[in-house]
Amino acid sequence: LNLENKPKQFFAYKGIIVHSISRHELEIINPGVLIVDEDGTIVETGKDVDFHSYPNVIIHDFKQKIICPGFIDLHLHLPQYEFVGLGSEQLLSWLKKYTFPAEKRYEDEAHARAAIEVFFNELLHYGTTTAAVYPTIHRKSTDLAFGYAAHSGIRLIMGKVNMDQNAPDFLLQDIEQNVSETLDLIDKWHGFNDGQLQYAVTPRFAITCSSDLLTELSAIAKDKNTYIQSHLAENRDELKSVKTIHKNHDSYTHIYADHGLLSSKTLMAHCIYLSDEEIDLIKETNTTPVHCPTSNRFLQSGIFPLREFESKGINFGIGTDVAGGYEISLLHEMKEVIEMGKMYNILNYTNPQPTITMEEVMYYGTLGGAIAIGQEDRLGNFQKGKEADFIVLDDDTINPYHEFDNYQTVSDRLYRLIYRSSKESIQSVFIKGKRIR
Ligand SMILES: [Zn+2]
C-alpha cells in the first residue's frame, strides 16, 4: 500500500445549510452541501458543488435536515450542573446555599470524575462545540476536567477558580497556592489539542478576590497570554458588597480595569448594571460581556441592556450560566435572549427597542461568539478554510402538525427549533470534521 499516492479524502454533508454571515444576515442554502477535507477543514460550501473536483469523497445525506455551525456557550459552571433548576434565592444567598457546598465535593476525585463526564457529554448532546467553563478551585478536579474535555473533542476555555476571601474556608486558598496551581495547569493545558483547549485565568469575582490576588492573576494572564474570565455587575446586593470590599476604585468595572484584567481576551459575565463610563471602559479595552438571560431572570438579577451594547459596537457572547441558568441548551438560551429583550420592552414601554430576531440569536450563538473570543478565523460559520464544527438539527418531533405544510420555511423551522427544542433536536455533532455523536 503506497500511502503517498493515496488521493486526499473528502467528506460531503448534504442538507439545508444555515450559517451567519453577519449580525443580521443568515445565509440559507437549500439544498446545500458542505465539503470537508480529511483534516477537518471546510473546503467548500454551496448549492452546486462539482463532485468531479473530489474524486475520493464520502457523502452523508441529511436530506431536509438543517445543518448549522456548532454552538458557542461563553459562560457556565461545571460543578453547578448537579443542582440545576434548584433554588429561589438571589445570587449571594444562592451561592451560599447551593453553590459552595456543591463545589466542595470536587475535593473528592471519584465524585469529580463522574460529574465531569456527565457535564461534557450533556453539553455536546445539546450541540455546544465550544464552551467557556468555570470548574472549582481544586487543581486536581480542574486537571480531570481538561483531560476529559480533550478526550471528548470539545473546544474549551477554562481555568481553575481563584478565591482568597469572602467564601467558606474550604473554598479559599492563599495567594501562593492560587498562583502555583494556576501556573501548573497553564503549563499542562493551555493550547493543548492544537489549540482546542485554552486556559482562562479565573478570578471568580471581585468579592472573593483580594487586590493582591487580582494583581498576581493579571500578571499571569499577560505573561502566558491566556484568556481571563470573571463576573461583573450581576446583582444589586453584589454591587453594594463590592463597594465595601474594594474601596479605592471609581466603579466595579474599574476594579478589574485598575488591575489590568480587562482585555480583548477577557469574558465578563452579566454586565447588567454599568454606567455609561463603565460601558466605555468595556469598549476601550475590547472586553467581551457575556449575556446570560435565563440566569438573570432565575436569580432575579436584572436585564442586560443588549441594544445599548450593540449600538456602541461592543461584541458580546451568550452563556447558559448553568446553574444560575436552568438549561444547558444554547437553543434554549437563544430563546431567552429574545424573550428577555421583550421583557425589557415591557418595562421600558416608553422607549422600546427593536425585538431581537432569530437571525440575531443564531449569530450570537455561533459567529458572534467566535468573534467574541477572537477565534473567527477558525470558527463560527462555514467559510472556506475554517474548521468544520457543525450540528444537524432534527425538528420532526417538535412540530405538532408536521403532516401539514403551512409553516415549513427554513426560517419557520429555525424559530420553532429555538422555541421548542429538546435534547432529541440535536441529531449529530461534528467538531473539526470529526463526528462526536
Ligand atoms: Zn456565572
Side-chain angles (χ1 to χ4, degrees):
L1 182 73
N2 186 349
L3 289 170
E4 298 292 312
N5 290 334
K6 199 170 166 249
K8 203 166 185 186
Q9 178 74 65
F10 292 96
F11 301 88
Y13 301 96
K14 293 183 172 180
I16 299 174
I17 308 281
V18 169
H19 66 150
S20 294
I21 303 298
S22 67
R23 192 185 296 273
H24 296 283
E25 196 185 348
L26 189 69
E27 184 180 34
I28 296 170
I29 309 170
N30 181 17
V33 189
L34 185 67
I35 310 271
V36 179
D37 72 12
E38 60 195 17
D39 303 321
T41 305
I42 295 164
V43 292
E44 189 174 352
T45 308
K47 201 178 179 74
D48 302 304
V49 167
D50 178 10
F51 279 99
H52 292 104
S53 323
Y54 309 106
N56 192 17
V57 63
I58 296 170
I59 297 173
H60 296 266
D61 193 351
F62 292 110
K63 307 217 157 55
Q64 281 297 295
K65 298 273 156 65
I66 293 171
I67 300 173
C68 78
F71 296 139
I72 299 178
D73 184 341
L74 289 185
H75 187 79
L76 75 166
H77 297 261
L78 188 159
Q80 299 180 13
Y81 197 46
E82 286 175 51
F83 61 90
V84 71
L86 306 188
S88 55
E89 296 76 7
Q90 291 199 16
L91 177 67
L92 299 180
S93 32
W94 178 83
L95 285 173
K96 271 188 206 122
K97 184 169 173 188
Y98 290 97
T99 302
F100 293 147
E103 294 192 5
K104 183 181 192 306
R105 287 196 289 274
Y106 282 68
E107 293 166 353
D108 175 2
E109 200 179 311
H111 174 79
R113 263 181 210 284
I116 285 163
E117 207 176 309
V118 171
F119 174 81
F120 284 111
N121 290 344
E122 286 272 293
L123 255 184
L124 287 163
H125 244 98
Y126 281 98
T128 296
T129 52
T130 301
V133 171
Y134 289 54
T136 61
I137 62 154
H138 309 100
R139 194 195 67 79
K140 185 66 199 173
S141 75
T142 305
D143 184 57
L144 290 170
F146 269 120
Y148 192 78
H151 161 79
S152 78
I154 199 168
R155 293 178 200 270
L156 183 66
I157 296 173
M158 184 171 80
K160 84 168 223 69
V161 173
N162 299 113
M163 298 198 273
D164 70 338
Q165 62 180 24
N166 299 319
D169 283 345
F170 54 78
L171 289 181
L172 295 181
Q173 295 175 335
D174 61 23
I175 292 177
E176 198 180 321
Q177 192 181 1
N178 271 301
V179 165
S180 72
E181 294 190 356
T182 296
L183 287 171
D184 280 354
L185 288 161
I186 290 172
D187 282 345
K188 186 162 178 190
W189 294 111
H190 186 44
F192 192 86
N193 229 1
D194 194 25
Q196 284 187 224
L197 303 190
Q198 295 282 320
Y199 200 87
V201 165
T202 307
R204 182 179 213 120
F205 64 153
I207 290 179
T208 58
C209 297
S210 68
S211 178
D212 288 345
L213 178 59
L214 294 177
T215 302
E216 293 286 342
L217 294 175
S218 167
I220 293 172
K222 264 192 207 85
D223 186 39
K224 303 287 183 185
N225 192 26
T226 66
Y227 286 91
I228 295 167
Q229 58 180 352
S230 194
H231 298 84
L232 171 60
E234 175 176 2
N235 165 288
R236 290 175 196 276
D237 290 337
E238 171 208 11
L239 299 183
K240 277 185 226 150
S241 175
V242 162
K243 244 185 205 153
T244 66
I245 293 165
H246 293 275
K247 292 199 174 75
N248 305 317
H249 303 274
D250 291 346
S251 71
Y252 194 166
T253 307
H254 280 87
I255 298 169
Y256 295 126
D258 293 348
H259 288 93
L261 287 161
L262 299 187
S263 75
S264 60
K265 294 188 82 169
T266 302
L267 302 172
M268 279 290 163
H270 309 304
C271 300
I272 295 169
Y273 299 103
L274 301 186
S275 66
D276 288 347
E277 198 192 352
E278 288 177 278
I279 293 176
D280 289 345
L281 200 49
I282 295 288
K283 163 94 179 154
E284 281 162 28
T285 54
N286 238 325
T287 297
T288 294
V290 184
H291 177 27
C292 307
T294 306
S295 165
N296 293 161
R297 201 179 52 245
F298 185 73
L299 296 175
Q300 303 170 61
S301 299
I303 303 181
F304 178 77
L306 183 148
R307 292 291 184 210
E308 198 176 330
F309 281 94
E310 185 199 49
S311 70
K312 299 208 164 158
I314 295 170
N315 247 308
F316 55 87
I318 60 177
T320 56
D321 194 19
V322 161
Y326 47 83
E327 295 287 354
I328 202 167
S329 155
L330 213 71
L331 280 172
H332 169 88
E333 205 61 39
M334 289 177 184
K335 165 178 68 190
E336 295 303 327
V337 172
I338 300 175
E339 293 300 299
M340 204 60 144
K342 293 176 183 171
M343 187 66 81
Y344 178 94
N345 281 348
I346 290 169
L347 298 172
N348 296 278
Y349 60 94
T350 54
N351 184 26
Q353 302 292 316
T355 303
I356 297 158
T357 63
M358 174 275 287
E359 287 80 1
E360 285 178 282
V361 294
M362 285 296 289
Y363 169 84
Y364 299 137
T366 57
L367 183 59
I371 293 170
I373 55 172
Q375 295 197 34
E376 69 272 26
D377 56 335
R378 306 175 75 171
L379 311 177
N381 66 11
F382 296 142
Q383 238 168 42
K384 184 182 170 162
K386 291 198 186 187
E387 295 173 17
D389 290 9
F390 62 95
I391 60 181
V392 181
L393 299 168
D394 182 350
D395 54 348
D396 281 353
T397 57
I398 58 172
N399 179 5
Y401 294 101
H402 55 88
E403 68 269 30
F404 304 151
D405 210 0
N406 295 327
Y407 304 97
Q408 285 296 330
T409 66
V410 176
S411 171
D412 289 341
R413 291 176 60 195
L414 284 167
Y415 264 109
R416 194 182 292 119
L417 276 159
I418 287 168
Y419 272 83
R420 307 203 71 217
S421 69
S422 69
K423 205 170 185 176
E424 289 69 39
S425 306
I426 314 291
Q427 180 183 314
S428 299
V429 179
F430 293 76
I431 298 178
K432 213 176 174 181
K434 198 172 150 232
R435 191 172 197 148
I436 302 292
R437 61 173 297 270

